[in-house]
């Protein structure tokens, strides 16, 4: 996904405007979330994400699991809903809030016996990427920023494709060409690098099935 921030108060008005809604965008605001997902008690922010991603209206909050949350975002049938989600929540780039998040993260998995190396890696990674709070005097706003899928910039519906059709390298080229023509060289380069890294050069199953890289 792309992470966007702005010191212009009109930014949120644009994202939540009728024009954006008519184009399929949905703003999901999670300013109270620290970003840590507790499998034993899924926070309201993540429950809200599930409700927007899935068309299952019967499932009760206490029946939603981490696996069901993952499946909702991985499902090709939910792609058109997921791609239009603009999610606002605290960034791990903002050091004070990322410290709170990682403390909760460590507490949640403090009894884990299988994942300690992964948890240690994630803690170290987050500790080393904070930068936004250091630029407050330059009007860098935080800690909450907007997260959106780059492919949401394209008017393109997976539901119109046959089940046998998958995203290809050519689709990536076409999308990047579109972004280059509309948003310029720098934006296209950033998105291409990000997608190559997160999709194994456009070969991952997630990319082939959903046209996305990484995890929402």
């Amino acid at each position: 996904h792309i992470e966007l921030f702005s010191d212009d108060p009109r930014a949120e008005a644009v994202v939540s405007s009728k024009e954006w809604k008519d184009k399929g965008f949905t703003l999901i605001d999670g300013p109270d979330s620290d970003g840590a997902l507790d499998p034993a008690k899924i926070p309201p922010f993540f429950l809200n994400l599930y409700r927007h991603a899935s068309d299952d209206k019967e499932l009760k909050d206490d029946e939603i699991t981490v696996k069901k949350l993952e499946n909702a975002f991985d499902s090709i049938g939910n792609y058109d809903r997921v791609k239009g989600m603009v999610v606002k929540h605290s960034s791990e780039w903002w050091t004070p809030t990322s410290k709170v998040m990682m403390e909760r993260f460590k507490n949640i998995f403090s009894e884990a016996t299988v994942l300690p190396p992964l948890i240690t890696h994630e803690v170290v990674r987050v500790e080393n990427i904070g930068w936004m709070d250091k630029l407050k005097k330059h009007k860098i706003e935080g800690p909450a920023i907007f997260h959106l899928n780059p492919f949401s910039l394209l008017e393109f519906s997976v539901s119109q494709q046959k089940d046998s059709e998958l995203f290809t390298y050519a689709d990536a080229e076409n999308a990047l060409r579109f972004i280059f023509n509309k948003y310029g060289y720098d934006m296209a380069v950033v998105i291409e690098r990000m997608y190559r890294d997160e999709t194994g050069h456009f070969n991952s199953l997630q990319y082939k099935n959903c046209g996305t890289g990484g995890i929402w």
Side-chain angles (χ1 to χ4, degrees):
H1 60 264
I2 302 177
E3 301 190 11
L4 302 176
F5 47 90
S6 173
D7 64 337
D8 190 329
R10 295 171 297 177
E12 186 155 346
V14 170
V15 172
S16 57
S17 67
K18 183 179 183 301
E19 181 182 359
W20 273 52
K21 288 180 181 177
D22 290 344
K23 291 181 179 179
F25 291 95
T26 301
L27 175 62
I28 302 173
D29 203 344
D32 297 329
S33 172
D34 60 12
L37 173 55
D38 186 347
K41 187 178 181 181
I42 297 181
F45 173 61
F46 290 95
L47 295 175
N48 194 21
L49 289 177
Y50 178 87
R51 295 300 181 196
H52 281 83
S54 173
D55 61 356
D56 185 350
K57 307 303 180 186
E58 303 299 323
L59 203 63
K60 298 178 181 178
D61 284 355
D62 59 4
E63 296 174 333
I64 297 175
T65 63
V66 172
K67 189 62 179 176
K68 288 178 179 177
L69 184 63
E70 291 176 351
N71 290 341
F73 279 87
D74 287 342
S75 171
I76 191 71
N78 294 337
Y79 176 77
D80 285 329
R81 281 188 294 274
V82 172
K83 77 166 186 177
M85 291 167 60
V86 181
V87 185
K88 184 181 180 184
H89 64 79
S90 296
S91 173
E92 58 194 11
W93 293 339
W94 193 274
T95 305
T97 53
S98 68
K99 284 183 177 179
V100 173
M101 177 183 70
M102 296 317 294
E103 284 303 315
R104 274 250 298 138
F105 183 76
K106 287 188 287 187
N107 288 337
I108 289 170
F109 295 100
S110 60
E111 298 180 3
T113 56
V114 180
L115 298 176
L118 177 60
I119 293 172
T120 301
H121 166 79
E122 187 65 6
V123 170
V124 172
R125 183 188 71 83
V126 172
E127 286 176 348
N128 290 330
I129 62 173
W131 61 272
M132 287 182 69
D133 56 290
K134 299 178 179 66
L135 299 177
K136 286 187 290 186
K137 64 180 180 181
H138 298 290
K139 295 186 177 181
I140 295 294
E141 290 294 306
I145 62 177
F146 300 99
H147 303 73
L148 70 153
N149 182 345
F151 275 77
S152 64
L153 301 173
L154 306 176
E155 295 182 5
F156 152 35
S157 171
V158 172
S159 62
Q160 297 173 353
Q161 294 179 293
K162 297 178 181 178
D163 291 341
S164 60
E165 291 182 344
L166 299 176
F167 287 91
T168 66
Y169 194 89
D171 291 321
E173 289 183 329
N174 290 335
L176 290 167
R177 191 174 295 111
F178 176 95
I179 292 170
F180 171 80
N181 291 334
K182 188 167 184 178
Y183 299 98
Y185 174 81
D186 290 341
M187 176 70 82
V189 167
V190 168
I191 292 177
E192 179 179 9
R193 288 175 178 170
M194 177 183 67
Y195 260 66
R196 285 190 179 278
D197 180 57
E198 294 191 356
T199 65
H201 298 285
F202 307 104
N203 285 315
S204 69
L205 288 177
Q206 181 167 327
Y207 170 74
K208 290 180 178 179
N209 284 279
C210 302
T212 64
I215 300 172
W216 261 84

